Amino acid sequence: MAQNIYDQDDFFAGYSALRRSREGLAGAPEWPSLQAMLPPLRGRRVVDLGCGFGWFCRWAQQEGAASVLGLDLSEKMLARARAEGGGARYERADLETLVLPEGAFDLAYSSLAVHYVADFPRLARTVAASLAAGGRFVFSMEHPLYTAPTAPGWVEHEGRRVWPLDAYLAEGERRTDWLAQGVLKHHRSIATVVNALLAAGLRLARLVEWGPDAAQIAAQPEWAAERDRPPFLLVAADRPGPGSA
Amino acid sequence: MAQNIYDQDDFFAGYSALRRSREGLAGAPEWPSLQAMLPPLRGRRVVDLGCGFGWFCRWAQQEGAASVLGLDLSEKMLARARAEGGGARYERADLETLVLPEGAFDLAYSSLAVHYVADFPRLARTVAASLAAGGRFVFSMEHPLYTAPTAPGWVEHEGRRVWPLDAYLAEGERRTDWLAQGVLKHHRSIATVVNALLAAGLRLARLVEWGPDAAQIAAQPEWAAERDRPPFLLVAADRPGPGSA
């Protein structure tokens, strides 16, 4: 079973205070880029892997999705999501051992959750099988450049701010202190993520190494460094349809 | 027109002395990984973009390719390739303004050349159109982590050797002193490379962020750092065939 850090009091308190937790999608700077990778949701069946407080599930309902299923490991987050209402169904699930009905969804969505999963190839196969022909998997994750280093954090070198990259190809566990001590993440390279999707029978549709744009940096000057080392990787991959060439 | 650094005396002398120039494919540590991405060549039509001394072209001929066309900007390298003989045809071409016949090749191959090209989307479209249905484009390039930094080169920070990453999302020209002064390369992110291939109608088949394996490091201990920051990106992408689902 995956580490359930979100139900730990200190982490949950810290996470709840984040801008993306308080403001939802509008508080997540990468949301416009991720949104641009989504298909139209009207009449579609949607599953959200790691739904948190349910911000995306509520948005998908408002967009006219036929059904929305939010899955999360955290009881505290599910309780909050259910309390908000909105028509989505919420269930507890561990992405490490996830079982989904086959061909049941048109969109599988996941925001900043898959870097907590040790067995990504298994998850990719599970998601691929759960998609109907022509369905899409859209997800964000911490960028491998963000998770790779032995000591992640900007440093000064000869008057310049640099990201001290090492261990990029050393895939596996990373423990960091973010909101709580000893948060467990799993580092893997971009190639490993992409090849796992391809091996699962999905077709890569778009890759985004996300950094803030000029307008976002003007509004939040401290974000400029994120263009030196992108914090997020966004991915869209499709399950081929019967008539696709 | 692209910078023709290979015909500059100091660069050509330095390049000719490299292990991969003297020993050919066997002298290139990434070759086994690149070779694993190739389709069987027997009876296939092959084009090599940036063929250099013709090592790959001669190998493709030996593998039974129906035809092999080697293209390079460097007159000196073409002269050497022609002198080696072997049945391949060699022509001068600038990858920046390349024109190829449509549907004429089963494999387009390129080793460590596309990072010299300013307009990669144009090259991707040209290559895609030159492939027959079911054909494949296999290429290697300097990894974006290698080309990105303002000051590329390992540094010591708090007792550890790190790669001083910055400017990853700042795509564009990079001037470095490698074999000669002011060698012009073009930095672009992995996502930009992949999306250009997809936009050209190709389907991503495999991505490799190459680093030496344990046996290679045992033989060449100084290569260990290359696993901290992979030096090469290897890509395979296919032109969909008429019957492909």
Side-chain angles (χ1 to χ4, degrees):
Chain A
M1 177 172 149
Q3 181 192 43
N4 184 5
I5 194 79
Y6 283 83
D7 275 348
Q8 196 172 303
D9 285 342
D10 52 350
F11 190 97
F12 186 78
Y15 186 84
S16 300
L18 293 178
R19 208 179 138 206
R20 64 177 63 229
S21 302
R22 292 182 286 108
E23 300 177 18
L25 304 175
E30 77 282 12
W31 165 247
S33 301
L34 201 53
Q35 184 181 6
M37 299 161 84
L38 298 173
L41 294 193
R42 184 157 301 282
R44 307 297 175 90
R45 298 157 295 171
V46 175
V47 61
D48 182 355
L49 310 172
C51 64
F53 294 144
W55 288 105
F56 178 79
C57 290
R58 291 191 290 282
W59 179 82
Q61 286 285 10
Q62 288 163 15
E63 290 290 305
S67 67
V68 180
L69 173 61
L71 302 176
D72 210 286
L73 183 59
S74 162
E75 298 280 17
K76 290 186 182 183
M77 304 195 87
L78 289 167
R80 179 88 65 95
R82 290 186 185 115
E84 293 282 344
R89 191 157 54 91
Y90 294 100
E91 291 180 11
R92 189 158 192 246
D94 183 347
L95 298 188
E96 211 69 79
T97 55
L98 183 67
V99 176
L100 292 172
E102 301 214 349
F105 304 104
D106 304 300
L107 171 69
Y109 173 88
S110 181
S111 171
L112 300 180
V114 306
H115 51 268
Y116 294 121
V117 176
D119 191 347
F120 182 73
R122 181 196 181 280
L123 178 64
R125 290 191 300 270
T126 301
V127 170
S130 81
L131 290 173
R136 176 167 280 202
F137 183 22
V138 175
F139 65 96
S140 64
M141 56 181 275
E142 288 187 359
H143 196 289
L145 291 172
Y146 188 83
T147 55
T150 308
W154 299 101
V155 301
E156 288 286 318
H157 181 76
E158 296 180 355
R160 287 182 307 108
R161 173 197 60 210
V162 301
W163 183 254
L165 181 65
D166 66 355
Y168 183 84
L169 293 180
E171 300 186 322
E173 295 190 1
R174 296 290 190 277
R175 297 243 172 214
T176 61
D177 298 334
W178 178 66
L179 305 182
Q181 292 198 322
V183 177
L184 176 61
K185 297 189 290 197
H186 298 273
H187 167 68
R188 50 184 72 88
S189 71
I190 291 181
T192 293
V193 170
V194 165
N195 292 335
L197 297 170
L198 300 176
L202 297 175
R203 194 171 287 166
L204 192 69
R206 191 162 181 79
L207 208 56
V208 173
E209 298 181 276
W210 186 88
D213 62 23
Q216 290 174 315
I217 292 172
Q220 307 265 350
E222 71 276 17
W223 284 359
E226 306 297 317
R227 291 195 66 82
D228 284 327
R229 181 273 298 125
F232 304 128
L233 179 67
L234 318 183
V235 184
D238 295 328
R239 178 162 181 174
S244 59
Chain B
M1 177 173 147
Q3 181 191 42
N4 184 5
I5 194 80
Y6 283 82
D7 275 349
Q8 196 173 301
D9 286 339
D10 52 352
F11 190 98
F12 186 78
Y15 186 84
S16 299
L18 292 180
R19 208 180 138 205
R20 64 177 63 228
S21 301
R22 292 182 285 108
E23 300 177 17
L25 304 176
E30 77 283 11
W31 165 246
S33 301
L34 201 53
Q35 184 181 6
M37 299 162 83
L38 297 173
L41 294 193
R42 184 156 302 280
R44 308 296 176 88
R45 298 158 295 172
V46 175
V47 62
D48 183 355
L49 310 172
C51 64
F53 294 144
W55 288 105
F56 178 80
C57 291
R58 291 191 290 282
W59 179 82
Q61 286 285 8
Q62 288 163 14
E63 290 289 305
S67 67
V68 180
L69 173 61
L71 302 176
D72 210 286
L73 184 59
S74 163
E75 298 280 17
K76 291 186 182 182
M77 303 194 87
L78 289 168
R80 178 89 65 96
R82 290 185 185 116
E84 293 282 345
R89 192 156 54 92
Y90 295 100
E91 290 180 11
R92 190 158 193 246
D94 182 347
L95 298 188
E96 211 69 80
T97 54
L98 183 66
V99 176
L100 292 173
E102 300 214 351
F105 303 104
D106 304 298
L107 171 69
Y109 173 88
S110 180
S111 171
L112 300 180
V114 305
H115 51 268
Y116 295 121
V117 176
D119 191 347
F120 182 73
R122 181 196 181 280
L123 179 63
R125 290 191 300 272
T126 302
V127 170
S130 81
L131 289 173
R136 175 167 280 203
F137 183 22
V138 175
F139 65 96
S140 63
M141 55 181 276
E142 289 186 0
H143 196 290
L145 290 172
Y146 189 82
T147 54
T150 308
W154 299 101
V155 301
E156 288 285 319
H157 181 75
E158 296 180 356
R160 288 181 308 107
R161 172 197 61 212
V162 300
W163 183 254
L165 180 65
D166 66 355
Y168 183 83
L169 293 179
E171 301 187 320
E173 295 190 0
R174 296 290 191 279
R175 297 243 173 216
T176 62
D177 298 334
W178 178 67
L179 305 182
Q181 291 197 323
V183 177
L184 177 61
K185 297 189 291 198
H186 297 273
H187 168 68
R188 50 185 71 89
S189 72
I190 292 180
T192 294
V193 170
V194 165
N195 292 335
L197 296 170
L198 299 177
L202 297 175
R203 193 171 289 166
L204 191 69
R206 189 162 183 79
L207 208 57
V208 173
E209 297 180 277
W210 186 87
D213 61 23
Q216 289 174 315
I217 292 172
Q220 307 265 350
E222 72 276 17
W223 283 0
E226 306 298 316
R227 293 197 64 83
D228 285 327
R229 181 275 296 125
F232 304 128
L233 179 67
L234 318 182
V235 185
D238 296 327
R239 178 163 180 173
S244 58

